[in-house]
Amino acid sequence: MSADRTPPPETAATTGVLNPSGSPAGDAAGGARPSRRLRGVDAARGFALFGMVAVHTLPLYVEETGDPTLTWTLFAGHSSALFATLAGVSLAFTTGGRTPHTGRRRTASRWAQVGRAAIIALVGFLLGFLELPWHNILVYYGVFFLLAIPFLGLRIRSLLLSAALFALIAPFLMQWSLDRLPAHVYSNPSLLDLVQDPGGVAAHLLLTGSYPALPWMTFVCAGIALGRMNLADRRVQAALTAVGAVLAALSWGVSALALRLGGYEAIAAATPSMSAEQIDEIIVFGADPELPTTTLWWLLVSAAHSNTPFSLLLSLGIAMVTLGVFLLLPGALGRVLTPLTAMGAMTFTLYVSHLLVMWLELFYDAPAAWFWGQILVFAVVAVLWQRYLGQGPLEKVVTRSTRAISRRVLARGGDGTPRPAPWTAPRQPDRR
């Protein structure tokens, strides 16, 4: 897979979680900052980070048999999809929760998202100067935020419809583009690549890269829809878990059945240059780095990072189940989950730290030790940092920047001119 404080008491409000960068998401447009949030969202985000570190560090297949490991089966593609879905959830929280911002507050929210996208993408582009052994999701993350802006004012039904359309249409556009656009030119694009080849980088980020933004808007739109729901309601949490399980099972089952009932033969007939073993490897392990374009039958594959309709909906279903389960966990487990929720509160900082650890490429000889070592260090640092210093360093940069943008927008009228001072009635003379 390439590559998603001691928590206050659980709240019934849907605006009390962290945004994707880890900054307080009470109101990106300058509203009141919430005092509490849903722990389950932070815990799910911490779990996504756990999965991404696992996939990046632990073996992905059994050397003796070539079969995928449990790590690959559980986390490959699904952890990053969970991150993207939670990004949508947090975008909903930062823009009004169950009641989307309107008027000037919506404008301020949108400009705040532009600022957040720019900062996260900038960090990703700077990391592009390093020779990372894995793909970096941060640049794509910035694109997700920009593309999400027009969807922030939509109702839940429209958001779910948008997610479905992205899942069904974007994979066909992706496959069409692979023969017409530069395919996977950049492993991790840098700022220099953006300056020298803006068109190629844009194509990479939107359609041909590891986390192509157009197909992955499936997760973001669905996440925004989830964030507009009352996630503190136990019935909503249970329904989220059940619907996610059904969606994941149907996506995997229909894909497997379609391949068995003629899809596999159609792929083999249209791709004579590939052996059965090579086709099987793509079906099990996914695209490397993109699916072949010999036939649209390849879009039946549901493997990790295939970015097909079945792959997207399978990962979305698993993301919904994961979020639902963490939301349903009883409050008594709060202390047990404290390390996970603390990690989920500063995933921006910890993910960058993880990429820097991977850059050293010292984990190959002892992957298990490096994996658990990172998780232990991240958990301890996150708990202590939250308790004594508050937000993570990168999270604080995002928070202060977006708040400054929001205040500036709110301080101006709709035409960009400074807002006049509020009118007050003239003081009446004292008639006593």
Side-chain angles (χ1 to χ4, degrees):
M1 179 185 87
S2 305
D4 10 72
R5 68 195 167 182
T6 301
E10 185 169 342
T11 178
T14 58
T15 56
V17 292
L18 299 179
N19 68 22
S21 69
S23 57
D27 190 336
R33 177 178 175 179
S35 59
R36 300 184 296 174
R37 67 182 176 281
L38 294 170
R39 291 184 179 186
V41 180
D42 280 351
R45 190 176 294 111
F47 186 71
L49 178 65
F50 179 96
M52 295 185 82
V53 174
V55 173
H56 288 174
T57 310
L58 298 175
L60 305 181
Y61 61 92
V62 180
E63 291 189 7
E64 292 78 11
T65 63
D67 296 330
T69 61
L70 183 62
T71 298
W72 177 269
T73 302
L74 292 179
F75 298 120
H78 307 317
S79 292
S80 47
L82 176 58
F83 253 133
T85 304
L86 293 173
V89 172
S90 294
L91 282 174
F93 292 154
T94 63
T95 55
R98 296 175 64 189
T99 306
H101 292 159
T102 57
R104 189 176 293 113
R105 294 183 73 200
R106 176 184 294 180
T107 302
S109 296
R110 288 174 171 175
W111 279 109
Q113 301 309 328
V114 172
R116 179 174 289 108
I119 294 170
I120 294 176
L122 175 61
V123 173
F125 277 125
L126 291 175
L127 288 170
F129 287 109
L130 304 178
E131 292 292 333
L132 299 173
W134 292 98
H135 301 299
N136 167 20
I137 198 175
L138 291 178
V139 179
Y140 300 91
Y141 228 68
V143 179
F144 297 164
F145 288 156
L146 289 178
L147 294 181
I149 290 175
F151 298 89
L152 295 178
L154 298 183
R155 297 173 180 241
I156 292 175
R157 185 173 299 177
S158 299
L159 287 164
L160 293 177
L161 176 60
S162 299
L165 291 176
F166 275 116
L168 296 175
I169 297 175
F172 289 90
L173 181 60
M174 176 191 70
Q175 285 297 93
W176 172 85
S177 71
L178 291 175
D179 288 332
R180 294 162 178 82
L181 298 176
H184 213 87
V185 174
Y186 304 102
S187 186
N188 289 299
S190 68
L191 272 179
L192 183 61
D193 297 323
L194 180 63
V195 172
Q196 293 179 339
D197 183 21
V201 171
H204 180 87
L205 297 179
L206 291 172
L207 287 167
T208 64
S210 300
Y211 308 96
L214 291 183
W216 277 59
M217 284 300 293
T218 301
F219 306 122
V220 179
C221 287
I224 298 174
L226 298 179
R228 299 292 185 216
M229 301 177 186
N230 184 8
L231 292 181
D233 189 316
R234 305 297 279 185
R235 292 171 298 179
V236 173
Q237 296 167 0
L240 174 63
T241 306
V243 171
V246 171
L247 178 62
L250 282 177
S251 301
W252 181 85
V254 172
S255 169
L257 183 62
L259 286 171
R260 176 167 294 187
L261 294 180
Y264 188 97
E265 288 76 9
I267 289 173
T271 320
S273 61
M274 298 185 67
S275 65
E277 290 76 14
Q278 291 173 315
I279 295 175
D280 291 341
E281 183 175 345
I282 292 177
I283 291 175
V284 173
F285 289 97
D288 185 24
E290 62 271 329
L291 286 174
T293 58
T294 54
T295 175
L296 289 177
W297 287 101
W298 281 109
L299 293 178
L300 293 175
V301 174
S302 64
H305 292 289
S306 299
N307 299 316
T308 68
F310 296 103
S311 170
L312 295 170
L313 294 177
L314 171 60
S315 292
L316 176 60
I318 293 175
M320 293 169 63
V321 170
T322 304
L323 176 58
V325 167
F326 277 108
L327 290 172
L328 283 167
L329 290 177
L333 290 177
R335 290 193 175 184
V336 177
L337 294 177
T338 293
L340 204 60
T341 56
M343 289 168 58
M346 53 186 299
T347 48
F348 188 13
T349 296
L350 295 181
Y351 179 74
V352 171
S353 301
H354 163 65
L355 290 181
L356 294 176
V357 171
M358 292 292 98
W359 173 58
L360 298 175
E361 296 196 48
L362 300 176
F363 59 94
Y364 294 113
D365 293 332
W370 277 94
F371 167 69
W372 287 112
Q374 287 182 82
I375 295 300
L376 178 61
V377 171
F378 289 168
V380 171
V381 168
V383 171
L384 294 178
W385 193 290
Q386 181 187 66
R387 179 168 298 174
Y388 297 108
L389 298 174
Q391 288 184 287
L394 292 179
E395 287 76 11
K396 190 167 292 186
V397 170
V398 174
T399 299
R400 292 181 175 178
S401 300
T402 54
R403 285 181 178 172
I405 293 171
S406 296
R407 285 194 296 266
R408 188 173 183 85
V409 174
L410 289 172
R412 293 180 175 272
D415 59 355
T417 59
R419 293 173 61 186
W423 179 86
T424 56
R427 182 176 180 179
Q428 298 296 322
D430 190 352
R431 298 180 182 276
R432 288 181 298 173

